[in-house]
Amino acid sequence: MKKAIVAACLALVLCLPLAALADEVKIGFHAPLTGWAAADGQSALRGAQLAVEFINADGGINGNKVAMVYYDDRIEAKESVIVARKLIESDRVVGVVSGSYSTPTRAAAPIYDRNKVPYISTIGTHPEIPMNRDYVFQIAVMSPIHGRVGAWMAAETLKAKSAVLLVMDNDFGSAVTDGFRIMAPKYGINILKEYNYPLGEKDFRSLLSNIKNDNPDVLWASGYYEEAAQIAKQAKELGLKATIIGQEGYDSPKFFELAGDATNGVVITTNLDRGSQSPMAQKFLAEFFKQHKVAADMVAASAFDGMLVMAHAIKTAGTKPDDIAKAIGEMKNFEGVATGPLLAFDAQGVVTRYIPVQIVKDQAFTSLTVCKDPKLITP
Amino acid sequence: MIPAYYHTIMTFTCINILLSLSIGVLAGYAGQVSLGHAAFMAIGAYASAMLTVTFKVSFWLAMPAAALVSAMVGLLLGVIALRLKEDFLAITTMGLNFIVIGVLLYAPYFGKALGIGDIPVPMLFGEEMGRGMYTALCLALVAGVVAAVWWLQRSWIGLAWRGIREAQDVAQVMGVNIAKFKIFAFVISTAIAGIAGSLYAHFLLFITPYDFGFPLSIQILTLAVLGGLGAIRGPVLGAILLTILPEYLRFIQDYRMLTYGLLLVLVMMYQPQGLFGHKSFLTEGLKRLFGGEEKIRGRAA
Amino acid sequence: MGTFLENLVTGAALGSIYALISIGMTMVYGLLKILHVAHAGVYVFGALLGLLAFRLTGSILFAFPAAVLGCALMGYLLYRFMYRRVQDEKPLIPLIVGIGMFTAMGDAYRLAAGPYSISFEHGLAQTGIVLGTFHISFNQVLVIGSAAALLVLVWLMVNKTKTGLAWRASAQDREVAMGIGVNSNYMFGLNFMFGSALAGIAGVLVGLYYGAVNANMGEVWAYKVFVVMVLGGLGNVTGTVIAAYLLGLAETFIISSWGYFLPRDAIAFICMILVLILMPNGVMGKRKQV
């Protein structure tokens, strides 16, 4: 009986359809549509869908429509590997864009690379993702750059002399902090203390009470918007005076929904400049708000850009993997994206770009300054 | 030629069968339930990954070593288990899951939240194993473990285990050293989970502590409970069913934990022996359908 | 000094929440010897119902009765249609059933409310008492005050009412209690309703305290309640309350002094396992049921 069932299962497996439609350019996409990062996953999907709309309204790629095939990676490495195999072997996509965090993107990157499928990480910030991989690119800001720019901005713009670090214990939280820890002393900022906290923590009161005693000028706090909202709110409750410096993890409308007034004055480094004069940025922000009635965040903008970069490369180079990879690698000063010009890709496939710094005023991000110093923004 | 995507599914099915069997051994043959089996998978995966990455040990040595490390922690748990009643033992295993993840995340030796990357693909005859070969290896290991468990069940050890589960006092009177056999069940079970962890690590080539959280333990438990705790047949079929079915019913994916949870509730309330267990409605139905007693004779524990 | 006082208040608020959630589970264990994991699902239900009532009426005063009624009903249904069927089985079976139910509930909430935190802001959160550098927020006063009032109520219920007497009788010996005319099934149902109502209030308080409600907010505490129960001496209500406050304070001061050397849950579980092995009757001992 066992054999019969196994045989039946195998038969089912083999009969799965392997359909592929002609004169459509298939681009794969994955994001965490369920799981704890689902709010970002949804935002990323919306951004990517908007990009496909724009591309097709513009006549598609050399007359062919773009079709996006997307799957949920559940923010799990394992699921991301299954999705990669499926996109490559069942859907036979030309290229793949990741709208997911570092962990799923890092797990999938070697598979795309070995199978020669061009792959763009849009918000996965881990440096290992594109390393030594010819077909993997990263338009996300690499984690330590957030820290470096944060330190520069704290010293130059906020005139801070002392800082306390509040570090989320996952890959993102610790990697962004590395940049700050190295750069801060070079700008004359004295790091008084460093506290760790686990991902998903809700109660920061005991740490914040300590930090109030340390009395720093700025509080460098790595985290995602859920943690950030609690940090901002509880800091205000406890009467902490330090300016909170965050990163792109804060960049979500949820941050304002959860922390309200307490968000005012928080400063973050991100890649989406709300005050940008670039026509594509304006068009993206307006259209996104029109469709979804919420302001676009950096996740949506990044996924949007990832799709556009992939489409642009296919448009200029055709559908051969090597040509696409070459075209992405050779992009210079690419302006047709929402997050400012993509200056260039380095040998590892990581983009260099300006880093906008945003400050919260009346519960919305507004431009504070932009970091263009090549020493800081070069990966 | 089977596309590699199906290799992936088959490999995960094999890993799940091993995990499910591992729960089955513990529950079926020692009357114990582990609610934290993902912890042992994590221990196996990390042991194997660190041996191959940090110490450049061959996969073929690292996998048995991973089983051994996992079994050693299992031995410790087995000793603790002797002091606890079964429901508190269950929550201790659950606690162990949280503790192991916490240690992997915080201790400085295990790559913390970054996990371990660049885990080597196993070498065979001086070449990297292909996906097909790896799937074959997994299938072979499943066959080996099933055979081993079957042999244990047939031998006097299985008799003692069943004795413990059915009637601890009687078994004791009959001269079964309960402590020894309970601990042995823990060792075997956790060794199997360690092997599964090792296979997982060398398949994904990149692991983080978050891969082995408590929800995974619940999923592993569901595989075994659905099939039927105790027999080889139950855990194996449960694992196959719950791994392959969701791949075809993608829409179920979003309701995955809801499904797992409700399955646990319903099976435990109405069919505690599992879908494929002894005298379950499914096996009885199949028996009637095929008319023969001999088709499923002897397998049910 | 300010830091010490702030930590004391933070720890007490945390302890209050632990206590309110744990009482229901402890009472169930005292009576039925069942580890009622689905209790944490009831607590999340309370938070979500409270939020819904708040959104509909615009007043937090309606959030509490909504949560109390909804959770009491849910507690009763869980007993009537789930636990009653398995209450006499081996203890593992109700435990697994409870875990399965909790998992399913968590996912159902996620599908209904979305996978992210939803704001639960009542407008008073940012106000509070300020003495020099020492700040207490309105939220902390609210949590600690309501918990204290409810705990007095629980104490009166258990010690001063006939129902309480019957409850204590059933907890000590079910057969004898039934023999002298206490209807145990009725007691069990009442027990579930009462504990669940408390958990519902705890849910609303936690939602207000953090200004956010999340479908998975029960996950950590579902299992941490075990720790409180074990430390408090299994089924002992007074012990559980003391253990809850001790754990809340200990966590806060440990984190304040040494930071997170392990995640909160791991620390709590290590304590639990040590207590289980070394002091199987709990830190508070088990001289007598309440």
Side-chain angles (χ1 to χ4, degrees):
Chain A
M1 191 191 68
K2 192 160 79 192
K3 266 190 206 142
I5 291 184
V6 173
C9 292
L10 281 179
L12 257 174
V13 166
L14 296 172
C15 295
L16 260 193
L18 293 170
L21 279 171
D23 58 6
E24 256 187 356
V25 179
K26 276 194 179 183
I27 301 180
F29 180 77
H30 68 92
L33 302 176
T34 58
W36 56 269
D40 277 348
Q42 198 181 48
S43 213
L45 179 62
R46 286 171 167 180
Q49 279 168 336
L50 193 59
V52 173
E53 255 177 57
F54 280 17
I55 297 163
N56 286 338
D58 224 29
I61 296 179
N62 304 330
N64 296 329
K65 292 258 179 244
V66 169
M68 180 172 77
V69 188
Y70 70 88
Y71 292 105
D72 176 14
D73 63 37
R74 309 197 300 227
I75 201 81
E76 286 173 12
K78 175 186 150 193
E79 193 61 21
S80 174
V81 166
I82 296 183
V83 165
R85 298 248 150 238
K86 214 188 280 258
L87 283 170
I88 297 168
E89 280 141 15
S90 295
D91 298 309
R92 297 173 192 277
V93 293
V94 177
V96 178
V97 175
S98 159
S100 197
Y101 291 9
S102 288
T103 305
T105 309
R106 223 173 124 205
I111 296 176
Y112 292 111
D113 193 53
R114 280 170 186 236
N115 287 281
K116 303 192 174 179
V117 174
Y119 184 51
I120 299 180
S121 162
T122 60
I123 57 169
T125 54
H126 198 277
E128 207 184 80
I129 294 169
M131 207 174 277
N132 303 325
R133 291 182 181 134
D134 296 340
Y135 299 88
V136 182
F137 298 89
Q138 197 171 31
I139 64 164
V141 180
M142 277 223 304
S143 327
I145 295 176
H146 281 291
R148 291 184 220 154
V149 176
W152 164 81
M153 183 271 306
E156 301 290 316
T157 314
L158 303 176
K159 311 288 175 213
K161 293 273 171 260
S162 59
V164 166
L165 314 186
L166 189 52
V167 189
M168 179 166 68
D169 67 357
N170 79 342
D171 46 2
F172 175 76
S174 43
V176 291
T177 307
D178 288 343
F180 192 92
R181 199 185 293 115
I182 295 167
M183 202 53 81
K186 294 184 184 161
Y187 284 103
I189 296 175
N190 185 14
I191 295 177
L192 304 173
K193 262 214 169 122
E194 181 167 341
Y195 301 91
N196 275 325
Y197 73 87
L199 169 71
E201 179 61 70
K202 275 181 160 183
D203 210 316
F204 296 90
R205 290 179 175 92
S206 54
L207 293 182
L208 290 168
S209 286
N210 282 352
I211 294 171
K212 198 163 65 174
N213 260 0
D214 302 335
N215 197 21
D217 294 337
V218 294
L219 171 61
W220 163 267
S222 62
Y224 300 124
Y225 60 85
E226 296 255 359
E227 292 82 11
Q230 294 299 342
I231 292 173
K233 204 155 53 175
Q234 291 168 19
K236 191 170 177 196
E237 273 178 28
L238 288 167
L240 186 75
K241 300 259 173 3
T243 305
I244 298 174
I245 302 180
Q247 315 77 31
E248 62 180 30
Y250 288 36
D251 193 335
S252 163
K254 279 270 163 196
F255 180 50
F256 305 113
E257 188 197 317
L258 293 174
D261 272 353
T263 56
N264 289 336
V266 171
V267 183
I268 67 164
T269 52
T270 181
N271 63 11
L272 177 60
D273 189 356
R274 270 73 176 182
S276 169
Q277 296 305 310
S278 135
M280 190 51 115
Q282 306 254 340
K283 191 175 159 200
F284 165 76
L285 289 170
E287 186 62 28
F288 192 95
F289 188 79
K290 202 174 117 197
Q291 283 193 12
H292 302 296
K293 302 290 169 264
V294 283
D297 53 17
M298 65 78 53
V299 176
S302 304
F304 175 85
D305 288 357
M307 268 298 166
L308 289 179
V309 168
M310 184 65 81
H312 182 79
I314 298 171
K315 197 181 247 172
T316 50
T319 53
K320 286 213 185 69
D322 293 303
D323 300 343
I324 299 175
K326 192 157 170 272
I328 298 177
E330 286 174 353
M331 276 184 178
K332 290 266 182 314
N333 283 322
F334 185 59
E335 303 239 6
V337 287
T339 59
L342 303 178
L343 301 175
F345 286 86
D346 69 4
Q348 291 291 2
V350 183
V351 82
T352 307
R353 57 156 88 228
Y354 301 137
I355 308 293
V357 180
Q358 311 270 291
I359 185 166
V360 180
K361 278 194 183 132
D362 296 328
Q363 302 188 30
F365 289 117
T366 50
S367 303
L368 181 65
T369 174
V370 177
C371 180
K372 295 186 175 177
D373 184 347
K375 276 207 310 283
L376 299 170
I377 61 172
T378 307
Chain B
M1 181 63 199
I2 308 172
Y5 160 55
Y6 302 122
H7 286 308
T8 308
I9 304 298
M10 279 165 76
T11 306
F12 280 125
T13 309
C14 288
I15 292 172
N16 280 344
I17 292 174
L18 289 178
L19 291 168
S20 179
L21 266 175
S22 147
I23 293 272
V25 166
L26 201 56
Y29 304 136
Q32 312 277 0
V33 162
S34 167
L35 300 180
H37 239 53
F40 294 102
M41 191 185 169
I43 293 169
Y46 266 82
S48 194
M50 291 185 69
L51 281 172
T52 48
V53 173
T54 317
F55 302 101
K56 311 287 178 212
V57 175
S58 145
F59 164 78
W60 304 101
L61 284 174
M63 189 174 58
L68 194 69
V69 174
S70 177
M72 268 153 53
V73 181
L75 179 78
L76 186 71
L77 182 66
V79 174
I80 293 173
L82 297 178
R83 292 186 63 108
L84 302 174
K85 280 195 306 180
E86 55 181 16
D87 45 348
F88 285 96
L89 169 62
I91 59 173
T92 300
T93 57
M94 175 197 294
L96 191 70
N97 199 167
F98 285 90
I99 294 168
V100 166
I101 301 305
V103 170
L104 291 177
L105 267 176
Y106 276 71
Y109 321 104
F110 306 109
K112 297 195 173 176
L114 297 177
I116 299 182
D118 287 328
I119 301 170
V121 176
M123 305 293 277
L124 189 68
F125 306 124
E127 269 182 61
E128 282 195 351
M129 258 176 137
R131 319 293 296 185
M133 280 310 290
Y134 199 77
T135 310
L137 169 71
C138 291
L139 284 169
L141 276 168
V142 166
V145 169
V146 167
V149 172
W150 182 80
W151 179 80
L152 282 172
Q153 184 188 342
R154 278 297 165 95
S155 68
W156 53 278
I157 299 173
L159 202 67
W161 278 343
R162 279 205 294 285
I164 294 168
R165 190 189 53 182
E166 302 299 336
Q168 195 153 344
D169 315 343
V170 180
Q172 201 145 31
V173 171
M174 287 170 65
V176 175
N177 184 342
I178 290 177
K180 202 168 105 192
F181 283 106
K182 268 195 177 174
I183 291 175
F184 193 62
F186 268 97
V187 169
I188 297 292
S189 162
T190 50
I192 300 174
I195 294 176
S198 171
L199 287 176
Y200 178 86
H202 291 273
F203 184 72
L204 278 195
L205 310 182
F206 159 54
I207 51 174
T208 70
Y210 300 111
D211 298 355
F212 308 100
F214 183 62
L216 181 65
S217 291
I218 295 291
Q219 290 178 30
I220 298 172
L221 182 70
T222 315
L223 302 176
V225 163
L226 179 78
L229 292 171
I232 292 174
R233 184 179 62 213
V236 171
L237 294 184
I240 293 176
L241 194 70
L242 276 187
T243 317
I244 295 188
L245 216 54
E247 287 303 320
Y248 289 92
L249 310 171
R250 271 322 269 205
F251 66 92
I252 281 192
Q253 292 285 11
D254 198 24
Y255 307 96
R256 187 174 36 126
M257 290 316 281
L258 183 69
T259 317
Y260 279 108
L262 287 179
L263 277 176
L264 272 183
V265 174
L266 295 175
V267 171
M268 271 294 155
M269 281 175 73
Y270 298 103
Q271 199 70 179
Q273 69 276 52
L275 288 189
F276 305 104
H278 189 44
K279 293 218 149 106
S280 72
F281 75 93
L282 212 65
T283 35
E284 288 295 298
L286 286 173
K287 226 193 277 187
R288 237 170 281 135
L289 204 64
F290 294 110
E293 182 81 354
E294 59 283 352
K295 285 204 168 123
I296 38 175
R297 175 187 44 128
R299 285 287 182 76
Chain C
M1 190 64 195
T3 311
F4 176 79
L5 284 178
E6 273 174 11
N7 279 332
L8 203 63
V9 174
T10 304
L14 213 53
S16 302
I17 294 165
Y18 290 164
L20 288 181
I21 302 175
S22 310
I23 286 176
M25 208 155 153
T26 294
M27 286 174 75
V28 170
Y29 190 82
L31 274 186
L32 286 130
K33 302 286 177 274
I34 281 178
L35 291 169
H36 170 30
V37 181
H39 190 63
V42 177
Y43 144 81
V44 183
F45 187 60
L48 290 170
L49 267 186
L51 177 62
L52 186 68
F54 171 64
R55 286 277 167 94
L56 290 178
T57 63
S59 159
I60 55 165
L61 291 178
F62 288 97
F64 288 100
V68 165
L69 292 176
C71 289
L73 179 67
M74 175 166 263
Y76 178 74
L77 293 177
L78 281 177
Y79 170 66
R80 181 65 188 77
F81 295 104
M82 202 175 79
Y83 284 118
R84 205 162 126 180
R85 198 185 159 95
V86 291
Q87 69 190 21
D88 296 321
E89 306 270 351
K90 286 199 300 185
L92 267 180
I93 295 197
L95 174 64
I96 296 178
V97 166
I99 289 177
M101 185 43 99
F102 172 63
T103 308
M105 283 162 103
D107 214 31
Y109 300 147
R110 178 183 65 82
L111 291 165
Y116 22 73
S117 294
I118 308 166
S119 165
F120 196 164
E121 207 54 75
H122 53 80
L124 292 169
Q126 308 296 344
T127 59
I129 306 161
V130 182
L131 297 168
T133 59
F134 169 55
H135 289 240
I136 302 185
S137 69
F138 172 80
N139 276 334
Q140 291 173 318
V141 176
L142 176 76
V143 168
I144 297 172
S146 342
L150 286 167
L151 291 177
V152 171
L153 187 76
V154 172
W155 187 83
L156 289 175
M157 271 279 296
V158 173
N159 290 303
K160 299 289 169 196
T161 63
K162 275 202 178 138
T163 325
L165 186 68
W167 184 83
R168 280 177 290 153
S170 296
Q172 269 182 359
D173 197 317
R174 207 159 123 191
E175 272 76 41
V176 173
M178 281 179 102
I180 57 169
V182 177
N183 181 342
S184 279
N185 274 341
Y186 168 76
M187 281 313 305
F188 296 162
L190 201 66
N191 186 5
F192 268 90
M193 289 171 71
F194 187 70
S196 301
L198 283 180
I201 296 177
V204 178
L205 285 175
V206 169
L208 292 172
Y209 190 46
Y210 295 111
V213 170
N214 192 316
N216 66 16
M217 65 194 267
E219 268 165 29
V220 177
W221 287 352
Y223 309 112
K224 206 178 241 174
V225 175
F226 288 139
V227 182
V228 178
M229 266 181 70
V230 169
L231 292 176
L234 299 174
N236 176 340
V237 174
T238 318
T240 301
V241 171
I242 297 172
Y245 280 97
L246 279 181
L247 187 69
L249 288 168
E251 271 185 11
T252 307
F253 279 100
I254 287 176
I255 290 166
S256 171
S257 320
W258 297 301
Y260 294 86
F261 55 91
L262 277 177
R264 257 174 217 266
D265 328 335
I267 300 175
F269 271 113
I270 290 176
C271 295
M272 183 197 79
I273 292 176
L274 287 178
V275 170
L276 275 177
I277 298 170
L278 303 175
M279 294 174 277
N281 290 329
V283 175
M284 303 301 140
K286 198 183 185 181
R287 290 183 303 275
K288 233 168 114 189
Q289 301 279 5
V290 184

